[in-house]
Amino acid sequence: MNTLAHWGDGGPGPWILLFPLLWAAVIAGAVLLLRRVLPPRGRGPSHGGPPWQGRGTGEAKDSATGLLARRFAAGEIDEDEYWLRLSVLNESKGEPA
C-alpha cells in the first residue's frame, strides 16, 4: 500500500522532508521576528552608526569633535565654522591641523 510516508518499495518518500523543513521555517521565522522586535545588544560604536559617534576611533559620543560634527550635520554651523573649530580642537589636542 502506498501512503505518504512510504514510497514505492516501502521506504520513506519525499514527504519525510516536509516536517523538518516546516520546523526549520518556523524557527527561522521566529528568529527573524525576534531580531526585528528586540533592540540590539552589545554593539559598541565600532559596529555602525553615524561617523560623529566616533566609529572605530574610540571617540566618545559626547566628545567635542562629535558634538561639532553633529552640529555641522544638523546645519547649525556652516562648513567654514566647522573647519575653524575643528582645527582649534585638534591643536588643543596636539594633533596637526
Side-chain angles (χ1 to χ4, degrees):
M1 172 192 319
N2 283 340
T3 63
L4 292 179
H6 298 285
W7 191 261
D9 60 351
W15 296 101
I16 199 163
L17 296 176
L18 178 67
F19 291 109
L21 291 176
L22 181 67
W23 277 111
V26 167
I27 291 170
V31 168
L32 290 174
L33 180 69
L34 287 175
R35 288 192 64 172
R36 272 184 119 16
V37 172
L38 296 177
R41 299 182 322 166
R43 291 191 173 184
S46 63
H47 289 289
W52 58 82
Q53 289 181 349
R55 176 179 46 212
T57 61
E59 188 178 336
K61 276 191 207 179
D62 297 325
S63 69
T65 54
L67 179 62
L68 183 62
R70 277 195 302 274
R71 289 186 61 200
F72 177 62
E76 296 176 13
I77 58 174
D78 62 353
E79 185 177 1
D80 293 332
E81 187 174 355
Y82 171 77
W83 288 113
L84 176 69
R85 291 181 181 216
L86 185 64
S87 66
V88 170
L89 286 172
N90 286 339
E91 287 174 9
S92 67
K93 289 182 185 178
E95 298 175 3

